Every structure is written in C-alpha cells, then in structure tokens.
Amino acid sequence: KAGVTQTPRYLIKTRGQQVTLSCSPISGHRSVSWYQQTPGQGLQFLFEYFSETQRNKGNFPGRFSGRQFSNSRSEMNVSTLELGDSALYLCASSWNPGGEAFFGQGTRLTVV
Amino acid sequence: GENVEQHPSTLSVQEGDSAVIKCTYSDSASNYFPWYKQELGKRPQLIIDIRSNVGEKKDQRIAVTLNKTAKHFSLHITETQPEDSAVYFCAASNSGGSNYKLTFGKGTLLTVNP
C-alpha cells in the first residue's frame, strides 16, 4: 500500500510569489490535515479536510488556503509569500477524523 | 483551544537506560494521544497511541501511560538503543468530535549514547 505522497519535495520561491503544494493520501483515507513545521514552533496545524470540506482551521492568515478533491487528494496554496513562510509543510492522512494519522515526507519551502 | 506541553526538550541517556518523556494537555475533551518519532530529515512516524478509555499500552520496548484526572501522558522507552535517537512528539486530539485536529507538543530530542 502506497504511503502519503507529497509533491514537490523542495521548492524555492521569491517573496510575493504564490505556491501550491500537493498531497495524495493513502488509498481509502478520506481525512487530510496540513501542518507547518519550523525549528522554533514545532508542528503547527494549518487545516483539515474530510470529504472535500474544510472542517477545522488553525491560526494562520488568510494567505494560507487549501482544498480537497473528490479522490481525497488535497492541495494547499500560499499567496504573497513572506520570508517567514519558509518551513517544512507536512500533510497527514487518516481513514477518518480522529484515526491514526500518517505523514508524508513533506515539502521543504524556502522563500528568498 | 487545546494546549500541549512537552518535557524535557532534550534528553540524553546511555544505551540500555530508560527514557521518559512527559506531556500535559489542557482540554478535558481530548481523548486520543499519539506519539510520533521523527528522525533527522524524515517524516514523523506514529510509534504508539492511546485512547482515553485505556490507562496504559505497551508495544515491546515502548509504553505509554495516561492519567486523565491529571491530564498528562507519558512515553516510556526501555533498554534504549542508538537507533532510538530522534525527536519525539506527543499530541492530543478530540477524536471523533467535530473539531478534530492534532495539537502537538514542541518535541523532545532524545540522544542515546553508545
């Protein structure tokens, strides 16, 4: 069974640009959550999707958005990038909300 | 919202010793407590979890205990080995609730010295 797949693995963007990250969950998993990981702040919750609906959102500005498709794949978008957005972005999937969550390898975003 | 505190932030032990990492949570509605291990440059991996209807769970050298009254839970690793060296994260959530999300502790860097 394939694990959670995130693409791309690495990204370098310039301040002010926007970026889209992709997450393909484990087959059969319908819940996808996104986290930002930085050395100082640890793992911070961005949002969670279940059956194409955003059910929960963390304390991030509106520049951070996401969506989930009918096949449970999810994307997150960050607009007007800032230097402070440099981080590892992780997605996790689970069969249902509250179930065991499995993480992807992450996308390392660097904003210059 | 939920707040999870994790201690210590760093822990160094000798191979063969035991290691204990402790977490406290604030939301009494939280009922699911997983632990993740993250090796350098790798994804967090679920190593053990516990639900609020259970007080203790073991898996070989790893055990987790939960005290709902005190709102704290702990990870115990016995007979530590160098490959146990990693960052360990605890988390809490209200599994099955309408507001499911994992709130993580800040992590513990465990170093096992040969």
Side-chain angles (χ1 to χ4, degrees):
Chain A
K1 203 175 196 181
V4 180
T5 304
Q6 290 187 246
T7 56
R9 291 289 311 279
Y10 303 93
L11 267 177
I12 299 176
K13 290 286 188 178
T14 305
R15 268 186 310 174
Q17 287 186 312
Q18 75 165 18
V19 67
T20 299
L21 314 181
S22 179
C23 172
S24 293
I26 291 171
S27 178
H29 284 194
R30 295 183 298 164
S31 173
V32 174
S33 299
W34 289 88
Y35 298 84
Q36 182 193 65
Q37 186 173 29
T38 57
Q41 297 298 319
L43 281 155
Q44 292 196 291
F45 174 78
L46 281 155
F47 24 65
E48 184 250 340
Y49 287 88
F50 179 72
S51 294
E52 301 179 66
T53 301
Q54 184 185 93
R55 299 184 333 127
N56 206 350
K57 192 176 192 310
N59 296 324
F60 279 82
R63 300 184 297 106
F64 291 80
S65 62
R67 58 179 175 168
Q68 186 180 35
F69 301 95
S70 58
N71 62 358
S72 294
R73 189 177 71 86
S74 178
E75 289 181 347
M76 68 164 278
N77 184 278
V78 188
S79 62
T80 321
L81 284 165
E82 300 177 0
L83 295 179
D85 296 334
S86 295
L88 180 66
Y89 290 88
L90 291 159
C91 81
S93 78
S94 57
W95 185 73
N96 63 336
E100 296 176 355
F102 298 91
F103 282 87
Q105 292 273 35
T107 294
R108 172 76 61 187
L109 172 65
T110 302
V111 182
V112 297
Chain B
E2 176 66 279
N3 183 51
V4 176
E5 299 282 342
Q6 182 171 348
H7 298 280
S9 55
T10 61
L11 178 60
S12 182
V13 300
Q14 290 300 122
E15 183 176 358
D17 286 351
S18 294
V20 180
I21 302 170
K22 298 182 179 181
C23 290
T24 60
Y25 62 99
S26 61
D27 188 351
S28 56
S30 289
N31 56 14
Y32 176 61
F33 308 93
W35 286 87
Y36 287 84
K37 173 184 179 182
Q38 187 175 29
E39 297 175 50
L40 190 62
K42 296 193 175 178
R43 73 185 81 193
Q45 291 203 297
L46 178 67
I47 56 171
I48 195 167
D49 57 13
I50 192 167
R51 296 189 184 270
S52 58
N53 58 346
V54 175
E56 183 176 1
K57 185 176 178 181
K58 275 187 177 180
D59 183 4
Q60 299 183 334
R61 297 186 296 108
I62 293 172
V64 58
T65 58
L66 171 65
N67 183 327
K68 284 188 297 184
T69 304
K71 290 197 216 140
H72 68 70
F73 57 113
S74 300
L75 178 71
H76 305 253
I77 305 174
T78 58
E79 299 172 23
T80 53
Q81 300 165 4
E83 51 265 39
D84 294 329
S85 296
V87 178
Y88 290 80
F89 292 96
C90 63
S93 78
N94 181 3
S95 162
S98 60
N99 249 7
Y100 164 72
K101 69 173 184 178
L102 280 171
T103 301
F104 284 86
K106 290 274 199 279
T108 296
L109 174 60
L110 173 65
T111 304
V112 180
N113 302 299

Short mmCIF file of all heavy atoms in Angstrom, two decimals, chain A residues 16-43:
data_model
loop_
_atom_site.label_atom_id
_atom_site.label_comp_id
_atom_site.label_asym_id
_atom_site.label_seq_id
_atom_site.Cartn_x
_atom_site.Cartn_y
_atom_site.Cartn_z
N GLY A 16 6.55 37.35 -2.27
CA GLY A 16 5.48 37.91 -3.08
C GLY A 16 4.86 36.91 -4.04
O GLY A 16 3.73 37.13 -4.51
N GLN A 17 5.58 35.83 -4.33
CA GLN A 17 5.01 34.81 -5.23
C GLN A 17 4.00 33.97 -4.47
O GLN A 17 3.80 34.11 -3.26
CB GLN A 17 6.13 33.91 -5.77
CG GLN A 17 7.01 34.57 -6.82
CD GLN A 17 7.99 33.58 -7.43
OE1 GLN A 17 8.68 32.82 -6.71
NE2 GLN A 17 8.09 33.58 -8.75
N GLN A 18 3.34 33.09 -5.23
CA GLN A 18 2.45 32.14 -4.59
C GLN A 18 2.92 30.72 -4.90
O GLN A 18 3.72 30.51 -5.82
CB GLN A 18 1.01 32.34 -5.04
CG GLN A 18 0.70 31.84 -6.43
CD GLN A 18 -0.81 31.74 -6.66
OE1 GLN A 18 -1.62 32.32 -5.95
NE2 GLN A 18 -1.19 31.01 -7.67
N VAL A 19 2.44 29.77 -4.12
CA VAL A 19 2.89 28.39 -4.28
C VAL A 19 1.73 27.43 -3.99
O VAL A 19 0.85 27.74 -3.18
CB VAL A 19 4.08 28.10 -3.34
CG1 VAL A 19 3.65 28.14 -1.87
CG2 VAL A 19 4.74 26.79 -3.66
N THR A 20 1.74 26.31 -4.69
CA THR A 20 0.73 25.27 -4.46
C THR A 20 1.45 23.96 -4.16
O THR A 20 2.34 23.55 -4.91
CB THR A 20 -0.18 25.09 -5.69
OG1 THR A 20 -0.87 26.32 -5.94
CG2 THR A 20 -1.18 23.98 -5.45
N LEU A 21 1.06 23.35 -3.06
CA LEU A 21 1.64 22.07 -2.66
C LEU A 21 0.56 20.99 -2.76
O LEU A 21 -0.62 21.26 -2.54
CB LEU A 21 2.13 22.13 -1.21
CG LEU A 21 2.97 23.35 -0.81
CD1 LEU A 21 3.41 23.23 0.64
CD2 LEU A 21 4.16 23.51 -1.72
N SER A 22 0.99 19.77 -3.08
CA SER A 22 0.03 18.70 -3.29
C SER A 22 0.26 17.54 -2.33
O SER A 22 1.40 17.26 -1.94
CB SER A 22 0.14 18.20 -4.73
OG SER A 22 -0.74 17.15 -4.98
N CYS A 23 -0.83 16.88 -1.97
CA CYS A 23 -0.77 15.74 -1.05
C CYS A 23 -1.72 14.66 -1.53
O CYS A 23 -2.93 14.90 -1.68
CB CYS A 23 -1.15 16.19 0.36
SG CYS A 23 -1.33 14.86 1.56
N SER A 24 -1.20 13.47 -1.76
CA SER A 24 -2.04 12.32 -2.10
C SER A 24 -2.08 11.39 -0.90
O SER A 24 -1.04 10.85 -0.50
CB SER A 24 -1.47 11.59 -3.32
OG SER A 24 -1.56 12.38 -4.47
N PRO A 25 -3.26 11.18 -0.33
CA PRO A 25 -3.34 10.37 0.89
C PRO A 25 -3.23 8.88 0.58
O PRO A 25 -3.25 8.46 -0.58
CB PRO A 25 -4.72 10.70 1.43
CG PRO A 25 -5.53 11.03 0.21
CD PRO A 25 -4.57 11.70 -0.73
N ILE A 26 -3.11 8.10 1.61
CA ILE A 26 -3.15 6.65 1.49
C ILE A 26 -4.51 6.27 0.92
O ILE A 26 -5.54 6.85 1.29
CB ILE A 26 -2.93 6.00 2.87
CG1 ILE A 26 -1.48 6.24 3.33
CG2 ILE A 26 -3.24 4.50 2.84
CD1 ILE A 26 -1.21 5.83 4.76
N SER A 27 -4.51 5.31 0.01
CA SER A 27 -5.74 4.88 -0.62
C SER A 27 -6.79 4.50 0.43
O SER A 27 -6.52 3.72 1.35
CB SER A 27 -5.46 3.68 -1.53
OG SER A 27 -6.64 3.20 -2.11
N GLY A 28 -7.98 5.08 0.30
CA GLY A 28 -9.05 4.80 1.26
C GLY A 28 -9.15 5.81 2.38
O GLY A 28 -10.18 5.89 3.06
N HIS A 29 -8.10 6.58 2.57
CA HIS A 29 -8.15 7.62 3.61
C HIS A 29 -8.90 8.84 3.08
O HIS A 29 -8.61 9.32 1.99
CB HIS A 29 -6.74 8.03 4.03
CG HIS A 29 -6.08 7.03 4.91
ND1 HIS A 29 -4.92 7.32 5.63
CD2 HIS A 29 -6.40 5.75 5.22
CE1 HIS A 29 -4.56 6.26 6.32
NE2 HIS A 29 -5.44 5.28 6.09
N ARG A 30 -9.81 9.35 3.88
CA ARG A 30 -10.61 10.49 3.43
C ARG A 30 -10.30 11.78 4.17
O ARG A 30 -10.77 12.85 3.78
CB ARG A 30 -12.10 10.16 3.60
CG ARG A 30 -12.57 9.00 2.72
CD ARG A 30 -14.06 8.77 2.89
NE ARG A 30 -14.40 8.39 4.25
CZ ARG A 30 -15.63 8.43 4.74
NH1 ARG A 30 -16.62 8.87 4.01
NH2 ARG A 30 -15.86 8.04 5.98
N SER A 31 -9.53 11.69 5.24
CA SER A 31 -9.19 12.88 6.01
C SER A 31 -7.75 13.28 5.72
O SER A 31 -6.84 12.44 5.78
CB SER A 31 -9.38 12.60 7.50
OG SER A 31 -8.91 13.69 8.27
N VAL A 32 -7.55 14.54 5.40
CA VAL A 32 -6.20 15.06 5.16
C VAL A 32 -6.00 16.32 6.00
O VAL A 32 -6.84 17.22 5.98
CB VAL A 32 -5.98 15.39 3.66
CG1 VAL A 32 -4.62 16.07 3.47
CG2 VAL A 32 -6.08 14.13 2.82
N SER A 33 -4.89 16.35 6.71
CA SER A 33 -4.55 17.53 7.51
C SER A 33 -3.21 18.06 7.05
O SER A 33 -2.36 17.31 6.58
CB SER A 33 -4.46 17.15 9.00
OG SER A 33 -5.68 16.66 9.48
N TRP A 34 -3.02 19.35 7.23
CA TRP A 34 -1.77 20.01 6.85
C TRP A 34 -1.14 20.65 8.09
O TRP A 34 -1.84 21.23 8.94
CB TRP A 34 -2.02 21.09 5.81
CG TRP A 34 -2.37 20.57 4.45
CD1 TRP A 34 -3.61 20.26 3.98
CD2 TRP A 34 -1.45 20.32 3.38
NE1 TRP A 34 -3.52 19.83 2.69
CE2 TRP A 34 -2.22 19.85 2.28
CE3 TRP A 34 -0.07 20.44 3.22
CZ2 TRP A 34 -1.65 19.51 1.06
CZ3 TRP A 34 0.50 20.10 2.00
CH2 TRP A 34 -0.28 19.65 0.94
N TYR A 35 0.20 20.56 8.17
CA TYR A 35 0.94 21.12 9.29
C TYR A 35 2.16 21.87 8.76
O TYR A 35 2.76 21.48 7.75
CB TYR A 35 1.41 20.03 10.26
CG TYR A 35 0.27 19.27 10.90
CD1 TYR A 35 -0.32 18.20 10.25
CD2 TYR A 35 -0.22 19.65 12.14
CE1 TYR A 35 -1.38 17.51 10.82
CE2 TYR A 35 -1.28 18.97 12.72
CZ TYR A 35 -1.85 17.90 12.05
OH TYR A 35 -2.90 17.23 12.62
N GLN A 36 2.52 22.92 9.48
CA GLN A 36 3.75 23.63 9.19
C GLN A 36 4.76 23.28 10.28
O GLN A 36 4.44 23.36 11.48
CB GLN A 36 3.51 25.15 9.20
CG GLN A 36 4.74 25.97 8.85
CD GLN A 36 4.56 27.45 9.18
OE1 GLN A 36 4.41 27.83 10.33
NE2 GLN A 36 4.57 28.28 8.15
N GLN A 37 5.95 22.88 9.88
CA GLN A 37 6.98 22.54 10.87
C GLN A 37 8.17 23.48 10.73
O GLN A 37 8.77 23.58 9.65
CB GLN A 37 7.45 21.09 10.73
CG GLN A 37 8.41 20.68 11.83
CD GLN A 37 8.78 19.21 11.82
OE1 GLN A 37 8.80 18.55 10.78
NE2 GLN A 37 9.06 18.67 13.00
N THR A 38 8.47 24.16 11.80
CA THR A 38 9.65 25.03 11.87
C THR A 38 10.42 24.71 13.13
O THR A 38 9.85 24.20 14.09
CB THR A 38 9.24 26.52 11.90
OG1 THR A 38 8.36 26.74 13.02
CG2 THR A 38 8.54 26.94 10.63
N PRO A 39 11.74 24.99 13.13
CA PRO A 39 12.55 24.66 14.32
C PRO A 39 12.03 25.33 15.59
O PRO A 39 12.02 24.75 16.65
CB PRO A 39 13.94 25.16 13.94
CG PRO A 39 13.96 25.14 12.46
CD PRO A 39 12.56 25.48 12.04
N GLY A 40 11.56 26.54 15.47
CA GLY A 40 11.15 27.26 16.68
C GLY A 40 9.76 26.94 17.17
O GLY A 40 9.49 26.95 18.36
N GLN A 41 8.87 26.63 16.25
CA GLN A 41 7.44 26.46 16.60
C GLN A 41 6.95 25.03 16.56
O GLN A 41 5.80 24.76 16.89
CB GLN A 41 6.57 27.31 15.66
CG GLN A 41 6.82 28.79 15.78
CD GLN A 41 6.49 29.31 17.17
OE1 GLN A 41 5.51 28.92 17.77
NE2 GLN A 41 7.35 30.17 17.69
N GLY A 42 7.79 24.10 16.14
CA GLY A 42 7.33 22.71 16.11
C GLY A 42 6.31 22.49 15.00
O GLY A 42 6.37 23.12 13.95
N LEU A 43 5.37 21.60 15.27
CA LEU A 43 4.33 21.25 14.28
C LEU A 43 3.08 22.05 14.58
O LEU A 43 2.45 21.88 15.61
CB LEU A 43 4.01 19.76 14.37
CG LEU A 43 4.98 18.80 13.71
CD1 LEU A 43 4.90 17.43 14.35
CD2 LEU A 43 4.66 18.69 12.23
#
